Structure formats: C-alpha cells, structure tokens
C-alpha cells in the first residue's frame, strides 16, 4: 500500500472491526495527490467535528446544466490536491446490469481523468465518479459518450430514473421495469440534463410491492408493480410447506396478513382477494405455492422524499392500478400535467409532495384533471368538516 502523506489516526479507527471500511478502500487509491489530500481533509473534519467541503458553483459540461456537482474545500492552501474535487453522475443502465468490459471501461476513464474513486451507486442510482478538476470535466465527458455512457441528473431537474432488476431476474415482477425506465430516460432527456424545475423529481420503478428500489420512501413518482385479480395458489405446494415443519401456516402466514384475508383449515389455503392489499408477505413466505395474479400492472404513488433535516414523506397512492405497456402514453400524460402545475406554482426547493401538502390534494387533483378516489387517502381523516363542490 502507498505510504500516506498525512497522519490519520482518527479515521484509521474506521478500518477496525468486522465490516468493510471505506477508509481502507480509499487508501488503496492513495497513489494520487488528490486521494492523499482527501484523506487529510477527512482526518481534519474528524478532529474539528465540522465539514470542510462546500459544493455548488457554475461548473459542468457544455450544453448540460446537470450531471456535475462542484466540490471545493476551504482548506485548499493546505490540501491543494482537493482544491477542486468535483463529482460526476453517470446514468446507470436499467437494473444496474453491466458487463465486466463496461466496468473496466468506466474505471479506465476515471483513472485517466479523475481520482479513480467511485460510488456504485448513489442513492438516486447513478454511477458516481468522485473527484476531478474543472479542466478534466469535458475530456471525461467526451470519453464517456464515446463509450456509450451519458451523464445523469443533478440539481432541480428530473433525476436519473432507476428500477429493480425486474423480469430479468425476478419472477414476481408485474411489469417490465427495465424497458419502462429506459423509455422514461430516453423520453425526458431535456428534463434530465437541463434543470428547469422548482426542485428534483425522481421516478423509481419497482416490479412488485417488495419495492427493492425503496421508491415509496424516496421517489416523487413511484411505480410499484401489482395485480388486480386473484393470487395464484398451488394447493399441493401449500401442503408441502405445511408438512415441512419449517413454516407454521397459521402463525407465520395467516396471522401476519395485514387485513387477515387468509385462512388455513389444515387442508387448503383460502384467500379473500377482495380484501387483499397485495403486500407480498404471503408470497415471500411461500414462493413455491403462491404467486401474483395474471392481470398485472402497477400502482402509481406520488410525493415521497427522504431528507434528514426537513422531515421525510412517504408517497401516497395516486392511481391504484394501471397497465404498464409501451409507449406508456398514460404515464406521460400524467407526468406532463403534474410538471406543468408544479413548475408554474412550486416554490424554490419544494418537492412535489410538499407542494401537494401546501395547496391541498383537492386543489392539486382539480388542476391536473384527475378525479379523487378513496385509495388516495394516506391516513384516516382528522378534520370533521367535509366540503363538497356544487
């Protein structure tokens, strides 16, 4: 391992213990001056219990307003290697599927132009390149586009859409998440690269209610796979689970159903599908015996965000069921109506969920031309006064 330029006794502690350490991984790339000084700044932050980074400023690549996040340190004189340490977000493939050749290509580009440090992946989903200088932004972008990659979103734009592995590897996927996200990414190139919104807008696609991309907690528009007919039951397989002794059908499946719509009489499993909320618990518990229905599509939810300071919001049901089939015109029509209203009337740094809270769901629905339905209720009402329009 390369000898370190700075003493780092505090962050060295983060290498101890049974868990993987980001400090250990950074030190593997410490041959560059930028990474050496990055460790120095990090150690100083631990000593002083304050950050020494500031981000922002007008920095990017020609023709794009997003994809590059300017990073600077206020200790530039002491740590010149990270006077500029910009981050680049690279649009990831749907479902995060890569060939080893693609990963090597990305790594070679970044070692040529930047620190070599990556984050696979950021919370939005992007491949994150950590640390380069302003003169290297355009050459990096050129090499990326020559290799078939593009920048992702940053700032007040549509962020890079992301999805689970969908039908490529998961039998529970109720629609093709991979094709859906690819289509959204290609359709909204202008909104992705040129910030023009009040704040960020994220689209995340999960093939089923297991929500492996945490869309319900983080996406302004969550597209969660579901079905609207009956759960498919293989009764002989159910009996095998019961006789295996590894699963107590009453205790582990029926009693844990949130709506208590399941019953087991010792011979057959019954489901009151009219009360099923498609939570996936029973299917997860008995994957060989149960599977989603055949009439599959998705539920659209709106309004999540997950900040630490301002308070989190979970998304709420907007469209209980919709078929998810190319060319996705219904989705695009809904997205256009939401963006038109929010972009015109949203406050600076106000997410769609916060905008809906501020103006009221009724007003929001009226303006975008969507009829209110009972499934849009996120919690029992606390206000006894109900007003009806004439």
């Amino acid at each position: 391992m390369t000898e370190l330029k700075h003493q780092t006794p505090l962050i060295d502690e983060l290498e101890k213990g049974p868990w993987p350490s980001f400090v250990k991984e950074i030190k593997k790339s410490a041959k560059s001056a930028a990474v050496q000084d990055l460790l120095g700044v990090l150690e100083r932050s631990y000593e002083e219990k304050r950050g020494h980074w500031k981000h922002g400023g007008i920095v990017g690549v020609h023709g794009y307003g997003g994809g590059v996040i300017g990073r600077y340190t206020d200790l530039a004189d002491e740590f010149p290697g990270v006077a500029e340490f910009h981050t680049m977000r690279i649009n990831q493939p749907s479902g995060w599927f890569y060939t080893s050749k693609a990963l090597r290509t990305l790594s070679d580009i970044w070692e040529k132009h930047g620190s070599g440090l990556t984050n696979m992946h950021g919370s939005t989903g992007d491949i994150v390149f950590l640390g380069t200088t302003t003169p290297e932004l355009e050459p990096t972008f050129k090499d990326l586009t020559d290799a078939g990659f593009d920048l992702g979103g940053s700032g007040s734009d549509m962020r890079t859409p992301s999805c689970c592995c969908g039908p490529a590897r998961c039998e529970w996927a109720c629609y093709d998440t991979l094709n859906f996200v690819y289509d959204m990414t290609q359709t909204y190139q202008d909104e992705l690269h040129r910030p023009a919104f009040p704040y960020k807008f994220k689209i995340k696609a999960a093939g089923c209610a297991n929500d492996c991309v945490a869309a319900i907690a983080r996406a302004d528009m969550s597209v969660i796979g579901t079905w609207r007919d009956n759960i498919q039951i293989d009764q002989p397989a159910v009996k095998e689970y019961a006789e295996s002794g590894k699963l107590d059908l009453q205790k582990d499946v029926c009693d844990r159903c949130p709506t208590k719509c399941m019953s087991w009489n010792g011979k057959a499993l019954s489901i009151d599908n009219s009360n099923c909320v498609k939570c996936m618990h029973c299917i997860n518990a008995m994957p060989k015996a149960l599977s989603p229905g055949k009439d599959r599509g998705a539920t659209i939810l709106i309004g999540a965000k997950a900040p630490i300071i301002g308070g989190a919001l979970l998304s709420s049901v907007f469209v209980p069921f919709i078929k998810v089939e190319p060319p996705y015109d219904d989705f695009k029509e809904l997205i256009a109506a939401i963006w038109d209203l929010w972009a015109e009337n949203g406050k600076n740094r106000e997410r769609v969920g916060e905008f809906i809270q501020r103006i009221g769901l009724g007003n929001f629905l009226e303006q975008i031309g969507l009829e209110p339905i009972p499934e849009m209720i996120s919690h029992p009402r606390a206000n006894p006064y109900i007003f009806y329009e004439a």
Side-chain angles (χ1 to χ4, degrees):
M1 186 174 289
T2 305
E3 183 178 352
L4 297 182
K5 176 181 175 182
H6 307 285
Q7 296 298 311
T8 57
L10 292 179
I11 63 173
D12 289 348
E13 293 294 315
L14 299 177
E15 297 185 72
K16 300 176 181 178
W19 309 112
S21 167
F22 76 95
V23 174
K24 183 179 294 184
E25 296 304 312
I26 291 176
K27 287 181 179 179
K28 290 180 182 178
S29 299
K31 57 188 177 187
S32 75
V35 176
Q36 288 275 7
D37 281 354
L38 174 67
L39 290 167
V41 171
L42 183 61
E43 178 71 18
R44 180 68 61 83
S45 293
Y46 273 72
E47 289 173 359
E48 300 178 357
K49 296 183 174 59
R50 62 181 290 262
H52 284 283
W53 294 101
K54 50 188 177 180
H55 82 277
I58 307 303
V59 63
V61 299
H62 184 69
Y64 282 35
V68 178
I69 302 97
R71 305 286 189 200
Y72 309 89
T73 180
D74 59 7
L75 300 174
D77 292 340
E78 192 172 346
F79 301 100
V82 289
E84 296 177 335
F85 201 72
H86 308 317
T87 291
M88 300 185 75
R89 290 182 179 161
I90 318 303
N91 198 324
Q92 81 283 353
S94 293
W96 300 289
F97 284 102
Y98 302 93
T99 63
S100 57
K101 179 181 178 181
L103 291 172
R104 288 191 182 96
T105 298
L106 289 167
S107 298
D108 289 344
I109 290 172
W110 194 230
E111 286 189 348
K112 175 182 175 183
H113 297 291
S115 70
L117 298 177
T118 64
N119 178 350
M120 306 289 279
H121 296 83
S123 61
T124 295
D126 299 284
I127 307 157
V128 178
F129 283 179
L130 295 162
T132 193
T133 60
T134 302
E136 290 294 339
L137 292 175
E138 288 290 351
T140 306
F141 180 58
K142 182 182 184 306
D143 284 357
L144 284 167
T145 54
D146 287 346
F149 288 91
D150 196 1
L151 296 188
S154 69
S156 297
D157 61 7
M158 188 184 97
R159 296 299 179 85
T160 313
S162 64
C163 64
C164 65
C165 62
R169 292 191 57 116
C170 181
E171 58 189 314
W172 306 144
C174 293
Y175 69 98
D176 190 341
T177 57
L178 306 170
N179 186 70
F180 174 77
V181 158
Y182 178 77
D183 189 284
M184 294 297 111
T185 302
Q186 296 301 317
T187 299
Y188 297 116
Q189 285 292 293
D190 194 62
E191 290 80 7
L192 184 60
H193 294 309
R194 297 170 182 87
F197 293 159
Y199 202 21
K200 67 184 81 169
F201 188 93
K202 297 182 179 182
I203 299 175
K204 293 184 183 294
C208 72
N210 284 323
D211 192 11
C212 293
V213 288
I216 292 173
R218 302 187 300 170
D220 300 273
M221 174 176 278
S222 316
V223 185
I224 309 297
T226 191
W227 63 96
R228 58 180 171 184
D229 55 347
N230 295 342
I231 293 176
Q232 300 180 70
I233 307 176
D234 183 339
Q235 293 291 358
V238 172
K239 193 173 181 181
E240 285 183 26
Y241 275 106
E243 293 174 350
S244 70
K246 297 179 180 179
L247 192 69
D248 184 327
L249 261 66
Q250 186 61 46
K251 179 181 177 182
D252 297 328
V253 180
C254 296
D255 290 349
R256 290 183 176 177
C257 174
T259 58
K260 300 295 187 287
C261 72
M262 309 183 73
S263 61
W264 165 248
N265 63 10
K267 297 181 180 179
L269 183 72
S270 300
I271 301 176
D272 175 9
N273 282 277
S274 64
N275 282 313
C276 173
V277 291
K278 318 294 194 298
C279 73
M280 294 290 294
H281 168 68
C282 61
I283 295 175
N284 292 333
M286 298 191 295
K288 295 181 179 179
L290 303 175
S291 60
K294 296 180 180 180
D295 186 8
R296 301 181 179 186
T299 298
I300 301 177
L301 300 94
I302 295 290
K305 67 186 187 80
I308 295 173
I309 297 174
L313 286 175
L314 293 179
S315 56
S316 301
V317 171
F318 220 56
V319 179
F321 185 86
I322 185 172
K323 284 290 189 178
V324 189
E325 298 169 346
Y328 312 111
D329 288 336
D330 291 340
F331 283 92
K332 293 168 186 176
E333 184 179 343
L334 177 61
I335 288 170
I338 291 171
W339 283 353
D340 285 348
L341 178 63
W342 173 56
E344 183 70 25
N345 300 284
K347 295 181 179 180
N348 186 40
R349 297 180 70 85
E350 182 177 52
R351 298 281 287 271
V352 164
E354 297 167 308
F355 176 64
I356 293 173
Q357 281 189 329
R358 177 166 64 85
I359 71 170
L361 179 60
N363 292 326
F364 184 79
L365 294 174
E366 182 181 357
Q367 291 298 315
I368 68 171
L370 203 62
E371 290 294 322
I373 53 175
E375 288 85 350
M376 292 176 178
I377 302 301
S378 60
H379 55 80
R381 66 185 176 91
N383 188 335
Y385 299 101
I386 304 297
F387 297 93
Y388 297 92
E389 292 188 5

